[in-house]
Amino acid sequence: MPRTPKVLVIGLDGALLGRIEDADAPHLAALTAAGLTAPSLIEPGAPTLSGPGWATILTGARPAKHRVRDNSFTGNAFARYPDFLTRLASAERDLDTCAITSWAPLAEKVFSARVGTRVATPDAEYDAGTTDRAVAELRHGNPDALFVQLDAIDDAGHRHGAASPRYLEAIHGADAQVGRMVAAVRARPADEDWLVLVTADHGHTDTGGHGGPSLPERETFLIAVGDGLAPGSVRTDVRMPDVAATALAHLGLALDPAWDLDGRPCARRRPPADRGGTDQPGLIRLGASVRRGSGPRS
């Protein structure tokens, strides 16, 4: 009997893959061991800001198409390039979609009213509240597609820098929250086929901050765990727009060429001519002998 496909996408705002490897992060380490890890870079010239980064991840389109250039989301083309939850909710299927975010603009400005549940966690609750809500949804609801964004790593990067112990502490805290969500997924019925995706919208400098063109600011990644993804595998041909495409494909939604997406499912390798941006000096790779570490949101 076929299992029911479902997807959990966890966004770790401002997280650097190399610093995740350096941190006490056993749950994230277990995910990398269980599936695919794909380090990547934001395309040259694209803003290394949360608004454009998350818009690229969630829509499957690059900034030139979704038109998000900063955190105001002014002038966006979400009507033409909606988020992946909106695409799922708009399909002629009864799918339960949910977005829970610590950074309010994502729930309020990116995800459309078609999404079944949109929650911007109150500031006082921050990531703890976001995690509690996500775990409750996984334990007591029946989501087909759930997006969760955690913000504390980015905050630590701004306040203390990516090279600081406080940044590692923030990763440790987020790791425990990821662990709670993954445990809730594993406790669900055995007839469900879950794909878990963990990603980031941008990197950080050693001293703190992002928004510029440096390699640490452009760093991002995808960790993907699910059937068909080889344990402990590493690839460098995965891009930010592939997150949305992978989620849509897993849930059985055919990618219509008319959507004009830049992403492709992880199951489809990207041709060499379309791999620009990964093989550049300074990009963090798993197992590398030298890793680069990399107030208000910028």
Side-chain angles (χ1 to χ4, degrees), residues 8 10 17 20-21 27-40 186 194-200 220-240 242-243 245-247 264-270 275 278 285-286:
L8 168 64
I10 302 173
L17 181 60
I20 289 174
E21 292 179 317
H27 301 290
L28 289 165
L31 291 176
T32 62
L36 165 70
T37 303
S40 186
R186 290 175 176 160
W194 279 88
L195 173 66
V196 176
L197 305 175
V198 182
T199 189
T220 182
F221 64 89
L222 174 65
I223 300 170
V225 180
D227 287 353
L229 295 168
S233 58
V234 180
R235 280 171 50 189
T236 59
D237 65 320
V238 177
R239 300 288 177 272
M240 295 174 80
D242 296 345
V243 176
T246 300
R264 64 182 61 207
C266 285
R268 293 173 53 196
R269 286 188 175 268
R270 192 172 293 276
R275 294 185 186 182
T278 14
R285 298 180 187 278
L286 280 130

Side-chain angles (χ1 to χ4, degrees), residues 111-168:
F111 294 103
S112 78
R114 287 182 175 271
V115 176
T117 302
R118 295 176 297 161
V119 178
T121 303
D123 289 345
E125 298 179 26
Y126 206 40
D127 285 356
T130 295
T131 304
D132 287 345
R133 285 172 170 79
V135 170
E137 182 69 22
L138 289 164
R139 285 181 177 171
H140 308 301
N142 190 28
D144 294 294
L146 172 61
F147 173 76
V148 182
Q149 180 258 355
L150 301 177
D151 202 63
I153 297 173
D154 185 61
D155 183 67
H158 282 293
R159 293 176 184 271
H160 307 286
S164 70
R166 296 292 291 273
Y167 188 81
L168 295 181

